[in-house]
Each structure stands twice: as structure tokens, then as C-alpha cells.
Amino acid sequence: MRSVTLLSALFVGAANAASQYTWKNVHTGAGGGFVPNVVFNHGQKGLAFLKTDIGGAYKLNSDGVTWTQLLDFADEEHFDWWGVESIATDPVDTQNLYIEVGLYTNDWDPYNATLLISRDQGSTFSPVGLPFKAGGNMPGRGAGERLVIDPNNNKVLYLGARSGHGLYKSTDSGETWNKVQSLSATGTWAPQAVDTQYDGYNSDPLGVGWIIFDTTSPKIAAGTSRIFVGVFEEGSPSIWMSENAGDTWAPVPGQNTTYLTHRAVLSPAEHSLYVTYVDTAGPWDGSHGWIGKYNITSGTWTNVTPAQAIIDNSYGFGGISVDLSGKPGTVMAASLNEYYPDAQIWRSLDGGATWSTLYSYDYSGPNVICPRITSGTYLQPLGFYPTRREWSKLMDEYPGTLTNKVNSSGTDQIGWGIEGLNIDPFDSNHFLYGTGLTLYGSRNLLDWDTKHNITLSNMSDGVEETAVLELISPPTGVHLISSVGDIGGWAHIDLDVAPATLHVPNYGTELSLDYAGLKSSRIVRIGSGSGQLSTSGDGGLTWGYYAANSSALIGGKVRYSANASTVLWSSSTGVFISKNNGTFVASTGIPTGAIIRADKANDAYFYAANGSSIYVSSNGGASFAITATLGSLVTANDIAVNTLGTAGEFWVSSSVGLWHSKDFGKTITKVFSNLSAAWSISIGAPAVPHGTPAIFAGALVSKVYGIYRSDNGGLSWIQINDAAHGFSSISGMLMTSGSLVCGDPRIYKRVYVGTNGRGISYGE
């Protein structure tokens, strides 16, 4: 069993050095990733927890506005703890918190699931190993909740597993678990029967999706007598019910078997269960669906699907919630997924008999009328939806407000992937819903029913979930410029304040960027699409399309020569150069996929690595030649060039340690130290002016994974992260060979760390 106590022990040797560092998130104000759900505690007002698919779990702070990450301690050996499958917060003893973690059920994650148990609302955790894998980032991750606590006996927990493992039960507050043998349904549906392309990612059965305790049923010695369970099945019963606290189970009669049950919520005042259905796994797909209401007293189902949704017949349903403290029969639901004109949210005050919409759409015209939304934090003013052309202009001017709009075209404003939608159980005016990129909500929800207008705001302050693909810290201008997945990236003028704008033109997923060493206000960047290349002449504040864009080039990494005369693009189809805005032509002597870097003080030199071979170009990238081989059993992982004005000096991280050249790669020597492997590396400011540059590395030193700094050229290393900041997978930090440990060339000891799911941190 992997344990948190082991985490603490690992950092003892570096405690003194690490204690000198303070770590903070670079603030983007974005959220930046999928929020499957927010779970409110039903016993304590204001207590709520947010789960992400790859970026850990958060607790709502006492201000009711900001969030604090709970799982930053996850390190290399516990990298999968940032994948959150399900959260349960105890309504009886509100100190109890349970988080099921694990990223993948296929071979991408070698570990079984772990249940993290806290007895102090997430301040500390103890782990319990589970006999199956979890899928925090697998298909169907928006269903739920899979982990629940019996409100009539809080020692009893149920957990729905994937992969055919069925339903599990604990009777000792999560410490031990046993399979519920009496429930034969395990949820056998999978998106694909066979998936060889992604190693079974899409062919693993989605399993048990949700569990609901009927608090209106009789309480018995074992706890709540009536329990509902939803499993992923199509063409056969997917909702099962127990009337004797889980001893026996039977399918609920009359249920829909055409679609997949996705989420459910109990309406105690109506003695009813609302269930959303969709025809696929979610969170990004869904073309048909249904909302059903099961009257527990009569044992009958009613189709309460909104009338317009029946007419549209082009999306399913995800999030569903009832108002527990307000008018009985108040229910809200969300589409899954309606991409045009936007996602839709419905609200009913009569138990689903009639619905009103968040906005109305005139299908005969170009515009969308929005009577229910006024502008809120991070949102555009919405009196109406502009035409597509007008919308594109708006988002090009104001993309940094970070609504769900991530590209410079389209109309998405409400979001997509809305699986977790919840009305605060203590406050009828407050609701939250997660989207594919952030968290939205309102604190004047009741105005929907009277004024037909609410303030919808970004509620993700403190949530940083971006997947960072590259970072640079130029010697002039802003200290940090980023490229991230799905959103684009920023010039971070103030690390503690959300940037006003994204990079424009915006490419969505932005793969790489670089600055010219001798003209550091000149920046180049690429997106993930064909020919997506832009340059900046003012340090990343504004951008223009590169004159020689080539539609044949896509993906990879990009570098700028020292005088900005040459762009070197290592694309998916090979390595190409463009000189002085000229046409891209193939570079010779360098393999596709090679790691590339530009010398920061000599315009003619580029460096590259592939496998154990080191390549050098002395003619501006036109051709490369192998100048050194590190050894047959060595794999180069990254290259860091001297960023402080010295030409010809670079370091190479590898599977067996660190290597160094001071003569443009003519010779390269291994740096002998207790560093046995390194991945992302970067150069930072020296301790004294013109002194030895600091080297930062994500590395394995004395058998301990961590973030390290060397002030003597790599001869010795100081660990600078601590037990509270594990940064997940150190060996996976390179992603696509981007330098995600990024030293600041102007501030000694400062380093930026990009993560896959927790945004950007900086330490100093």
C-alpha cells in the first residue's frame, strides 16, 4: 500500500533547503480544466468540495468564493492521486471527507485506486488501498457520485467500481471494503468494444455510475433501508433498488433502457428520484437523451424531458439538482452536450411538468436572446448573442476574461460538459456548475423566477487546472510567458493577478514558444493546428501571424535564433526552418521528433538531441550534424542553454544524469554528482552577478524525485520542493519535451514549474 507517511519521510533530507522556498500558484483566474462536480455537505452550511479529472480536489474557503487545493502533496510515486474519481463529505460528522483517486484503468496508470480519508475536512489524509483501479480521467468521469455515505449510519459507505468490479461496501468508515455480492449488475457498457489505438481507454466497462440513499425510507439498524444504484447498461436495466439496506436488489420497474443513466438526485419532498440519461459516456459527447422522474410511492415513471429538447433531439442530459431548502418541485438540469448555439440549462418549479431556459434562441434568425443573464465576473455582457462574426471580434478583444470561450470563433458562453450542477442545500439563491474549462454559478438564482435575469459568474478563484506545455522567462519584459493546453497561454504581467488577455490570435491548445536571446522582446509560438505560428515584437503582449506560415507543418516545438532571424520548427513531419520570414524549408541531418534548442547568444547555432545523440547546427538550422553520443544506454530528455549571455554552453538531462558542453557541442562531458536521472532542466539567475548560473531540474537525486537547484554547475543539488508540494509526476513533466521547470534569469532562486493539471507554480 502506498502511503502519505512515506511521502513525508522522503523529504526529510531536504527539509532545510525546501523550507527556504515559498510556493504559490501563478494566478490565471481561469480554472482551466474539466470540473466534473461540486459536492455540497448537507450537514454544514458553506462546506463544499470540488473535484477535477487531472488536477486534484479543492475545498471551498470560508469566504464562500475562493478554493484551496487539498492534494498538492501528490508526488512521483502518487502521481495518480490528482485524478479524482469521486468525493463524499459526511453529513453527520462533517469533519469526515473521503476522496477516491486514480487516473486510468488501463496501463497508463500502474496503480490500483486509493481512498484518501480525512478526519479534519481535508487538512490531513490517510490512504486505504482498493482492489481495483479508478478512472478519474476516463470516459464517464462526469457520472456520479460513485462514492457515498449513508446519512442514517455514517460508518456505512458504498463505492461504485469500474471494469466489471461492481459495487463495494464499507461498514467501518472506509477502512475496509467488501464487494456487494447480492448486486449482480456491474455496468458492462463501454464506448467501444475494442480499443487498440488507446490501449483500452475506450473499451473498459464504465461500471457503477451513481448511488442514492432514499432518506424518506425507513431507518433500520444497518442504516437507510432503500438504496438506488445506477450502472452503465444499455438495453437492459440500469437502475437497481434495495429495500433492505443492500441485502438484496431488484431492477426498478418501468425504467428507460434505451439510454445510459448518468446522474440522479433525490427529491425528498416529492418522494421522487430524478435521473438524467445520455446515449454516450460523456463528458464531451452525447446526441440523445432523456430525463426521467420516478415516483417512489407509486412506483411509476414520468418523462419530464423539456419540450424543446425533445424537438431538438440532438443532445443528452448531464447535471441535475433539486432545491432542498426552497420550494418543493424546484429542479434544474443541463444539456450534455449542446454545442450550438450553446449549452442549455433548464429550471422547473413544478416537478418537471414545465421548464424555463437560461436563454432563448430564435432558430429563424442569427441571434440568441438572453433574458436570464447579466454580466458577471469574467463574463461578457449578454443582452443577446451576437452573430458569429461579431462574437469572434468580441472574443479576440477580450479572451482573457476566461469564460468557457477558448477559441476566437464560435458561440460557447454557457459551457459544455456540464455534468455537475448543484443548488446549495442551504441557500436557494446559490448554485454552481462545472464545465469543460471552469466553474460557473450565481448567487441570485431566485431572480430567475421573478425578474427572469440572473448574474452568472466565474466561480473558480483558486482553481488552477491547466495542463502546461511550455514556459519561458525572458531576460527583459514580463518574467513569465506560458503555453497551455485547451486555452492558449498568457503573458503574466503580475503572477498574482489573472492576466487581462490570452494570446491573440488564440490557438486553443498552444504547444510551444521561445524568445530570441539577443532580442528578447521577439517571441515565437505555435498552436496544435496546421500552420498555427505567430510572433510578437513586444515581449508577448501582442501577436501577429507569421508571414511564412506553412499549412503543411503541425505540432511539435518551435525555437527562435538569437537575433530572431530564423524560426526552427520541429514538427510532426520533420524539422523545418524559415529565415527572415521566408518559406519554410526542410532542415537536414536531424530526425523528426528531436529535442531542439537555440543558442541564446549566437544566431547561427541550434542544438538538438535524439536518443543518445547530440546534434549541432552552425548555419542557422539549415543542417545538423552529430557531434557527440552520450552512450548506447542513455536517452537524452531535455536541453538547457545558457540564458545569461554566454554562447556555446548548454546542458543535457538524461536517463543517467546530467551532461555539459562549453564549446558549442564539440565536446560534452558527464557531470558527476548524486543526480542519477533528470528530465526537465532550465537555467536561472546566478547567486552573484556574472557568477555561475543556477540550474533547475526535475530529477532523481539520492533516490528521491523532486525539484532541485544547483549553484555550482551541477556538482551538488538542493531539493527545493517540500512534502506539501510534490508536483505529481516529476519524470512526466516533459510532456512533449517542453521545459516545464523554468528558471528566472533575473531573480536568483526563482523557478516556475508547469504541471499537467495544476497549472503553474512559482517558488522563491
Side-chain angles (χ1 to χ4, degrees):
M1 181 188 304
R2 299 169 296 150
S3 70
V4 174
T5 55
L6 176 61
L7 277 171
S8 299
L10 287 177
F11 289 94
V12 170
N16 291 336
S19 64
Q20 298 174 9
Y21 265 73
T22 298
W23 292 95
K24 297 173 65 177
N25 260 125
V26 174
H27 190 60
T28 68
F34 180 42
V35 177
N37 201 18
V38 171
V39 180
F40 283 99
N41 187 283
H42 287 205
Q44 179 180 331
K45 184 177 181 179
L47 182 61
F49 299 90
L50 179 152
K51 69 175 185 178
T52 72
D53 52 359
I54 63 170
Y58 294 80
K59 179 183 177 182
L60 184 64
N61 294 325
S62 58
D63 59 12
V65 176
T66 60
W67 300 85
T68 294
Q69 171 66 227
L70 300 179
L71 305 182
D72 270 345
F73 54 79
D75 63 357
E76 174 78 19
E77 295 183 1
H78 309 84
F79 75 92
D80 60 332
W81 287 6
W82 277 1
V84 178
E85 180 84 281
S86 194
I87 291 179
T89 172
D90 193 335
V92 180
D93 182 349
T94 59
Q95 292 296 309
N96 292 334
L97 172 67
Y98 304 87
I99 305 178
E100 182 196 7
V101 293
L103 275 167
Y104 302 104
T105 58
N106 63 1
D107 291 341
W108 297 350
D109 183 348
Y111 301 122
N112 275 354
T114 300
L115 182 68
L116 298 176
I117 301 175
S118 176
R119 305 301 181 196
D120 51 18
Q121 294 186 358
S123 295
T124 60
F125 288 91
S126 60
V128 171
L130 297 171
F132 45 78
K133 288 186 173 184
N137 199 32
M138 293 288 289
R141 58 192 180 274
E145 287 296 308
R146 297 174 186 258
L147 176 65
V148 295
I149 304 166
D150 190 335
N152 287 313
N153 182 354
N154 68 335
K155 291 185 178 296
V156 172
L157 285 78
Y158 281 89
L159 195 162
R162 293 173 176 263
S163 313
H165 291 288
L167 182 67
Y168 277 71
K169 180 180 181 179
S170 172
T171 57
D172 57 4
S173 301
E175 299 292 341
T176 61
W177 292 84
N178 293 290
K179 185 174 181 178
V180 179
Q181 301 290 348
S182 56
L183 180 62
S184 59
T186 62
T188 61
W189 186 90
Q192 297 176 10
V194 179
D195 175 19
T196 57
Q197 182 179 7
Y198 298 109
D199 303 319
Y201 178 83
N202 290 304
S203 58
D204 187 62
L206 270 58
V208 178
W210 54 263
I211 306 147
I212 297 286
F213 291 100
D214 181 4
T215 54
T216 68
S217 66
K219 177 182 178 181
I220 59 178
T224 302
S225 58
R226 186 179 299 117
I227 309 170
F228 295 94
V229 170
V231 302
F232 279 90
E233 294 288 355
E234 190 176 60
S236 61
S238 61
I239 302 178
W240 294 72
M241 179 175 65
S242 174
E243 296 277 13
N244 50 20
D247 287 343
T248 60
W249 301 83
V252 175
Q255 63 180 279
N256 187 314
T257 59
T258 301
Y259 303 123
L260 300 166
T261 175
H262 211 68
R263 301 193 70 91
V265 63
L266 179 75
S267 177
E270 298 178 279
H271 206 214
S272 294
L273 186 74
Y274 290 92
V275 183
T276 58
Y277 291 82
V278 68
D279 59 348
T280 52
W284 316 131
D285 46 10
S287 55
H288 303 285
W290 195 72
I291 302 179
K293 180 181 181 181
Y294 178 65
N295 187 301
I296 301 172
T297 302
S298 64
T300 58
W301 286 90
T302 302
N303 182 353
V304 294
T305 308
Q308 185 61 55
I310 295 175
I311 295 172
D312 294 343
N313 193 30
S314 60
Y315 45 83
F317 299 92
I320 186 89
S321 184
V322 299
D323 189 346
L324 295 175
S325 63
K327 179 182 177 181
T330 300
V331 58
M332 295 178 69
S335 60
L336 188 75
N337 275 286
E338 184 181 8
Y339 286 101
Y340 185 84
D342 207 333
Q344 185 62 276
I345 297 176
W346 291 268
R347 182 172 169 90
S348 174
L349 302 180
D350 53 14
T354 61
W355 299 84
S356 59
T357 56
L358 184 61
Y359 65 88
S360 60
Y361 177 58
D362 181 1
Y363 283 85
S364 62
N367 295 335
V368 179
I369 308 304
C370 294
R372 299 191 182 279
I373 312 172
T374 58
S375 62
T377 306
Y378 302 128
L379 280 176
Q380 297 300 326
L382 294 181
F384 64 93
Y385 270 54
T387 64
R388 280 188 174 273
R389 177 174 295 180
E390 292 167 339
W391 187 264
S392 174
K393 181 179 178 182
L394 278 173
M395 295 315 300
D396 277 345
E397 291 175 352
Y398 302 102
T401 54
L402 276 174
T403 67
N404 275 296
K405 191 70 195 70
V406 298
N407 297 313
S408 59
S409 62
T411 61
D412 301 308
Q413 180 83 340
I414 309 304
W416 63 87
I418 303 175
E419 306 248 42
L421 183 154
N422 295 279
I423 303 172
D424 189 328
F426 293 93
D427 184 356
S428 299
N429 253 325
H430 181 213
F431 90 113
L432 296 171
Y433 71 89
T435 77
L437 278 184
T438 192
L439 178 72
Y440 280 166
S442 177
R443 287 194 174 275
N444 65 335
L445 180 58
L446 291 177
D447 285 351
W448 182 317
D449 308 323
T450 55
K451 301 177 182 178
H452 305 290
N453 188 288
I454 67 171
T455 300
L456 191 63
S457 302
N458 183 305
M459 298 287 194
S460 68
D461 192 0
V463 178
E464 297 290 343
E465 199 190 347
T466 51
V468 184
L469 300 181
E470 191 138 53
L471 302 172
I472 60 172
S473 182
T476 60
V478 299
H479 282 257
L480 179 67
I481 307 174
S482 61
S483 288
V484 304
D486 297 328
I487 294 174
W490 300 270
H492 300 272
I493 297 173
D494 186 331
L495 301 180
D496 301 320
V497 177
T501 62
L502 287 158
H503 297 325
V504 178
N506 184 275
Y507 295 140
T509 292
E510 191 172 287
L511 298 177
S512 180
L513 75 168
D514 193 23
Y515 68 90
L518 298 177
K519 296 181 179 180
S520 56
S521 62
R522 301 284 296 276
I523 317 288
V524 63
R525 64 182 173 92
I526 59 171
S528 58
S530 297
Q532 292 183 339
L533 188 149
S534 293
T535 56
S536 172
D538 58 8
L541 301 179
T542 61
W543 298 85
Y545 288 105
Y546 190 64
N549 273 10
S550 173
S551 60
L553 302 184
I554 184 172
K557 293 293 174 182
V558 68
R559 302 294 175 236
Y560 230 165
S561 67
N563 283 325
S565 66
T566 303
V567 172
L568 182 72
W569 189 343
S570 179
S571 75
S572 61
T573 56
V575 180
F576 295 81
I577 63 167
S578 169
K579 290 184 176 292
N580 300 313
N581 294 328
T583 302
F584 276 95
V585 297
S587 179
T588 61
I590 180 172
T592 300
I595 301 165
I596 56 172
R597 292 289 174 188
D599 193 297
K600 295 301 180 187
N602 189 314
D603 195 61
Y605 276 84
F606 288 92
Y607 310 106
N610 187 69
S612 62
S613 298
I614 304 301
Y615 300 77
V616 176
S617 172
S618 60
N619 56 7
S623 63
F624 283 79
I626 296 176
T627 61
T629 301
L630 304 182
S632 60
L633 300 179
V634 180
T635 300
N637 290 324
D638 198 8
I639 301 172
V641 297
N642 187 305
T643 57
L644 305 177
T646 300
E649 185 174 31
F650 63 92
W651 290 260
V652 178
S653 64
S654 78
S655 56
V656 298
L658 188 70
W659 304 73
H660 182 212
S661 175
K662 300 199 303 183
D663 56 5
F664 297 93
K666 294 176 183 178
T667 61
I668 187 165
T669 57
K670 186 175 181 181
V671 181
F672 289 94
S673 70
N674 55 348
L675 182 150
S676 55
W679 291 270
S680 179
I681 56 172
S682 182
I683 304 304
V688 296
H690 311 295
T692 301
I695 307 174
F696 295 95
L700 181 65
V701 177
S702 299
K703 299 181 180 181
V704 177
Y705 290 93
I707 309 297
Y708 291 87
R709 190 188 81 242
S710 173
D711 293 331
N712 56 11
L715 297 177
S716 62
W717 296 88
I718 302 168
Q719 187 173 3
I720 58 176
N721 66 313
D722 53 32
H725 302 89
F727 294 110
S728 187
S729 178
I730 300 298
S731 64
M733 293 180 73
L734 287 171
M735 300 287 286
T736 52
S737 299
S739 183
L740 298 189
V741 174
C742 178
D744 192 306
R746 288 174 273 176
I747 301 177
Y748 175 53
K749 294 185 178 181
R750 179 186 283 185
V751 63
Y752 309 97
V753 179
T755 68
N756 184 25
R758 273 289 288 125
I760 309 165
S761 291
Y762 70 102
E764 55 188 359

